[in-house]
Amino acid sequence: MTTEPDDAALVREAAQRGLAGQLAFETLVDRHQHWLVRLLTHLLGNQSDAEDVAQDAFVRAFLAIENCGDGSRFRGWLRVIARRLAFNHRRDARARAHYEEQSGVPRAHASESMTGRLGERDLLKQVLGELAYPYREIMVLRFVEELPLKEIADLLEIGESAAKMRLTRARAEFQREYEKRGGGRGDTRPA
């Protein structure tokens, strides 16, 4: 029985480039793609954008693989790349929407019709999707990815007390928006 190489070994192999490096990186993609797309789907609000940003993150990771250090923290390094790309994607989408609004180009409405009662999970996703990006990001990292606060602080490049404060504010904002939409019964953590 053979054991699969760990991320560090795959990163070292990928950094050597060539066919073996490409195959090693493909293994890293196979290993990490599912959780990355799931994370980005929560951050961006739809799977199509998440898949595009994930692909871009993997391309950038491959091109800069030698910057990953010893490779033992590949997942965290990839998460930082994807997080920054997701932020840029949302910023660019807002700029495009503003331009289209100013130019009179009709655009599709992203919000669902409220004619029917949204299911609890849909309501949670909708409220999470409408939070300001920094709040959405910290809620996803804490409650979807279930990262400890110290790791979140490191990932966001802020102090642990700043991460606690941001999480507290994000939860309060989430709760306000959730209750405004008729929620408020039971657990209010995002799905």
Side-chain angles (χ1 to χ4, degrees):
M1 180 175 174
T2 61
T3 60
E4 288 189 30
D6 64 2
D7 285 353
L10 291 169
V11 167
R12 284 191 300 274
E13 184 69 33
Q16 298 300 313
R17 304 290 179 191
L19 181 58
Q22 289 177 358
L23 293 174
F25 195 79
E26 284 178 21
T27 302
L28 287 167
V29 171
D30 291 343
R31 187 175 288 174
H32 295 282
Q33 188 168 21
H34 178 74
W35 71 261
L36 185 62
V37 169
R38 189 182 86 214
L39 170 70
L40 289 168
T41 298
H42 285 286
L43 290 176
L44 297 172
N46 74 61
Q47 189 162 352
S48 177
D49 287 347
E51 290 169 352
D52 290 345
V53 172
Q55 182 177 3
D56 194 16
F58 281 119
V59 168
R60 289 176 189 232
F62 180 71
L63 294 174
I65 196 72
E66 61 277 352
N67 297 332
C68 186
D70 70 0
S72 62
R73 299 214 6 108
F74 176 77
R75 182 178 175 131
W77 182 71
L78 179 63
R79 187 184 290 125
V80 169
I81 293 170
R83 180 182 147 260
R84 290 177 178 158
L85 289 171
F87 177 82
N88 291 343
H89 180 84
R90 285 190 49 112
R91 183 194 62 216
D92 294 347
R94 277 195 314 270
R96 278 191 306 275
H98 177 73
Y99 173 75
E100 289 172 356
E101 187 176 290
Q102 295 299 320
S103 66
V105 175
R107 61 176 221 190
H109 293 289
S111 63
E112 296 179 9
S113 170
M114 293 299 282
T115 57
R117 173 84 173 126
L118 289 175
E120 191 73 11
R121 187 173 180 87
D122 291 337
L123 180 59
L124 291 171
K125 284 182 178 181
Q126 182 183 29
V127 172
L128 183 63
E130 293 175 5
L131 291 178
Y133 185 83
Y135 289 168
R136 174 190 244 189
E137 179 178 45
I138 201 162
M139 293 285 284
V140 168
L141 292 172
R142 181 69 184 110
F143 298 113
V144 176
E145 289 296 307
E146 299 178 348
L147 295 178
L149 203 54
K150 169 109 177 72
E151 192 172 336
I152 292 171
D154 292 344
L155 180 65
L156 298 178
E157 298 173 344
I158 59 177
E160 198 168 342
S161 62
K164 285 180 187 177
M165 180 63 75
R166 186 178 297 176
L167 182 59
T168 299
R169 289 178 179 163
R171 290 180 75 176
E173 181 66 20
F174 182 89
Q175 184 69 37
R176 264 193 304 279
E177 292 301 316
Y178 182 73
E179 288 174 356
K180 224 190 311 187
R181 288 171 176 74
R185 294 172 298 279
D187 185 19
T188 59
R189 292 190 326 166

